[in-house]
Amino acid sequence: QVQLVESGGGSVQPGGSLRLSCVDPGGISTDYGKAWIRQAPAKDRGFVGVITWIGGASMVTNSVRGRITISSYNPSSTVYLQLNSGHATDTSRYYCPRARRGFIGADTNGYDAWGRGTQVTVSS
């Protein structure tokens, strides 16, 4: 089963920062775009942003722009999510699935290879 592996979660105070990582242990998702999607308890999954594997172009949803960036030194390798100025609304489990072939967008149904995620908690 294809899965990507997320790490780097933890607890931070409001205003704090975290960097999440997403790796592809099997090396079989190197030519896929990858997204960061989060889910808080009792809430639907929420699209955070995406990075393409060609050129490494990235974008994030408007609600987190200016606080969250998605990057990769090599899009076929580790993908990062940098959270700055953390807010309680960022508390969620963060996942890094890959885009289905031909898909790029905010619909979370367009992604597969979901890992277990990594928990981020922003609290004082």
Side-chain angles (χ1 to χ4, degrees), residues 3-7 21-27 34 36 77-79 96:
Q3 282 187 327
L4 302 177
V5 178
E6 305 90 348
S7 64
S21 299
C22 171
V23 298
D24 172 21
K34 298 177 181 67
W36 283 99
S77 183
T78 304
V79 174
C96 175

Side-chain angles (χ1 to χ4, degrees), residues 31-117:
D31 57 346
Y32 289 76
K34 298 177 181 67
W36 283 99
I37 293 170
R38 64 188 182 183
Q39 187 169 23
K43 292 190 176 180
D44 293 335
R45 290 172 173 170
F47 176 82
V48 178
V50 65
I51 187 166
T52 64
W53 75 275
I54 297 177
S58 65
M59 62 81 66
V60 296
T61 192
N62 287 340
S63 63
V64 302
R65 187 165 295 139
R67 299 192 303 107
I68 289 180
T69 57
I70 295 173
S71 64
S72 178
Y73 297 115
N74 179 346
S76 64
S77 183
T78 304
V79 174
Y80 302 98
L81 180 149
Q82 177 70 41
L83 168 66
N84 297 322
S85 302
H87 188 273
T89 57
D90 297 317
T91 296
S92 288
R93 194 160 191 87
Y94 286 71
Y95 300 88
C96 175
R98 69 179 185 184
R100 298 182 192 275
R101 286 298 191 195
F103 178 81
I104 194 78
D107 184 351
T108 59
N109 291 316
Y111 298 90
D112 64 10
W114 294 80
R116 297 181 177 181

